[in-house]
Amino acid sequence: MAKRRIQAPSAEDMAALDAAFDSDATPRVNPATAPIAQVAADSALSGSGQSVADRFDRQDAEALRAAKQNGLLVQELPLGSVDVTKIMRDRSVINQSELDELVRSIAANGQRLPIEVYQSGDGFALISGYRRLLAFQQLAASAPEKFAKIKAFVRAPKNAADAFAAMVEENEIRADLSHFERGRIAVIAAEQGAFENVEAAVGHLFAHASKAKRSKIRSFADLFECLGDLLAFAEDLTERRGLRLANAIRQGAE
């Protein structure tokens, strides 16, 4: 079989090939320029005349504004601007030894977790973080300049019911509330108009609890409605005794 000869193109053929490539070539990108940088530069040139830096500055400002509106931005608020009386606290008794421990922790390590507030008039109303606020008030008494401001998320609850729910939710996660305290806050929230009645308050505030747990909370709510402050050590009631008392009250033994 005869071998096929490969003939090299002439100088005229190479010139013709170069001319064809030049007429149909796409713009070449400088290999030293990163693709994303090229895209950013092209976008800036085709935009409204703003530089890339200006565009990113605007995006950062918009992101910051959105975070603030959604209550995701930690702000430093004057300690005296936070009112704790707008929403009744669900914890009726503060353990002093635990509070002293929190005071020492904040004094040594600073505030790790912001409190939650919402705008109220010229100041703010506390949603959650009552013990942290108490700790700051104690620290500010001896070091007013260092503890004059407290870190906070400024929320925008839709209504009073949402504000109560946010407070209860945090304490359900971070603190072991008694059934009496749970029933008590449900009654108070209903009395303050946040809910139509106590049943609705228990259902909303403890929506993620089991049906059996909500039933127990409702029983302790009945106990609080009937006896209230007459119970000197209500938080020390065992679950069994509290339920027996509630059952007796329902049967007319008050």
Side-chain angles (χ1 to χ4, degrees):
M1 182 176 178
K3 292 184 179 180
R4 182 179 178 184
R5 287 188 174 184
I6 299 176
Q7 184 177 0
S10 64
E12 291 78 7
D13 293 334
M14 290 298 295
L17 286 171
D18 286 340
F21 274 116
D22 289 341
S23 64
D24 194 34
T26 56
R28 297 180 181 179
V29 178
N30 184 352
T33 304
I36 188 63
Q38 184 67 39
V39 171
D42 291 344
S43 298
L45 290 173
S46 61
S48 59
Q50 290 183 320
S51 68
V52 176
D54 289 340
R55 284 193 164 192
F56 277 109
D57 285 344
R58 186 181 65 182
Q59 291 173 1
D60 289 343
E62 290 173 352
L64 187 64
R65 190 180 302 110
K68 187 174 182 179
Q69 290 175 349
N70 294 325
L72 302 176
L73 183 68
V74 177
Q75 302 181 48
E76 284 195 324
L77 307 178
L79 187 59
S81 68
V82 182
D83 186 354
V84 302
T85 64
K86 294 290 184 180
I87 300 179
M88 182 66 72
R89 300 294 102 194
D90 53 353
R91 181 168 287 285
S92 56
V93 175
I94 297 295
N95 186 303
Q96 189 59 46
S97 62
E98 292 180 356
L99 181 60
D100 292 342
E101 184 179 341
L102 180 60
V103 168
R104 291 192 294 270
S105 174
I106 293 176
N109 305 311
Q111 182 188 359
R112 297 186 183 278
L113 187 65
I115 63 174
E116 289 183 285
V117 300
Y118 67 89
Q119 190 83 39
S120 177
D122 295 333
F124 303 90
L126 182 69
I127 297 175
S128 67
Y130 181 53
R131 292 197 311 150
R132 272 161 278 159
L133 186 66
L134 290 180
F136 255 76
Q137 289 174 343
Q138 288 190 23
L139 290 165
S142 57
E145 293 184 1
K146 184 176 180 181
F147 297 98
K149 293 184 177 181
I150 188 167
K151 295 175 184 177
F153 289 116
V154 181
R155 309 295 195 190
K158 297 177 183 177
N159 47 44
D162 281 352
F164 271 106
M167 174 188 62
V168 168
E169 183 177 282
E170 191 209 36
N171 275 343
E172 284 293 296
I173 294 172
R174 302 181 62 82
D176 185 21
L177 295 175
S178 67
H179 282 325
F180 182 81
E181 288 172 310
R182 294 184 178 104
R184 170 181 169 272
I185 195 60
V187 173
I188 292 173
E191 288 178 347
Q192 292 188 354
F195 301 97
E196 182 180 356
N197 50 45
V198 176
E199 190 72 35
V202 172
H204 187 91
L205 295 177
F206 305 97
H208 302 296
S210 66
K211 184 177 180 180
K213 184 176 179 179
R214 288 198 301 271
S215 176
K216 293 174 183 177
I217 295 171
R218 185 67 180 86
S219 294
F220 276 86
D222 290 342
L223 189 60
F224 175 75
E225 282 187 296
C226 180
L227 300 179
D229 296 334
L230 294 176
L231 293 172
F233 301 99
E235 294 77 14
D236 295 329
L237 270 176
T238 64
E239 181 180 306
R240 182 179 178 184
R241 289 189 175 188
L243 293 176
R244 286 180 63 189
L245 278 173
N247 187 52
I249 289 171
R250 288 170 178 169
Q251 294 180 12
E254 65 265 32

